[in-house]
Amino acid sequence: MQELRRAGERGYADHGWLRSFHSFSFAGYHDPRHMGFGPLRVINEDRVQAGAGFGTHGHRDMEIISYVLEGALAHKDSMGTGSTIVPGDVQRMSAGRGVTHSEFNQDKAGTTHFLQIWIEPQVQGIAPEYEQKHFAASEKRGRLRLIASANGDDGSVRIHQDARIYAGLFDGPEHASAELAAGRKAYVHVARGAITVNGQRLAAGDALKTDERTLAFSRGENAEVLLFDLP
């Protein structure tokens, strides 16, 4: 199985202060063909204008991962956590039995560009958790760096689901490959730039679903890519 979805096929919402592309059905965008992929439920590509953001709101029983591409995102939550996420940071919030939080771009001039990712957990009703780690560009350059996993392997953030998320930066001759275990499937999302994955040329916002055992990444042009290894 191999299915390609182009960036322009995603849902889109323009709220003035926020421009958001939805890879899967979300809020006012509903497409029964794109409700998620395995436990991967949301990938929103958000651009938040200077001084704007998401006011305090609640979540329950969801693994929420924020991945900043440009700018900075200020986070506050009901667990008492306050932090600012910048490029290279990966923030994981396990909503569990309930948490409220807010996210704002406190820059007075620049736009914050980030990916908001939701993964359905294997367990429900746990105490909310927060975790944030930084992965330098050098760790992702020309390779797939594990950034999230069920056991926190290799210094990744820990999520409550049998899923593994990798991030990679590729340009010119840089290349990498990944192997899927039997019965697993992969979702590749190109955050920016362009790259070839298993013969498919992907540009920013494009995605590839596949259950091929080997995934080959090559011919990157300033590419930043996320790979989701899913049950």
Side-chain angles (χ1 to χ4, degrees), residues 149-227:
S149 65
N151 298 314
D153 296 335
D154 198 21
S156 61
V157 300
R158 179 174 176 264
I159 55 176
H160 296 277
Q161 178 55 263
D162 180 23
R164 297 169 72 85
I165 307 175
Y166 300 83
L169 301 171
F170 299 94
D171 194 44
E174 296 169 338
H175 63 278
S177 63
E179 298 292 330
L180 293 182
R184 306 282 291 183
K185 55 189 176 183
Y187 188 95
V188 177
H189 177 86
V190 180
R192 53 185 162 192
I195 195 166
T196 297
V197 183
N198 286 14
Q200 294 279 3
R201 192 64 178 170
L202 306 177
D206 290 349
L208 180 70
K209 301 175 183 178
T210 183
D211 59 4
E212 295 184 3
R213 296 291 294 276
T214 301
L215 287 87
F217 297 77
S218 63
R219 296 176 55 216
E221 295 180 29
N222 296 315
E224 185 159 6
V225 61
L226 295 181
L227 166 63

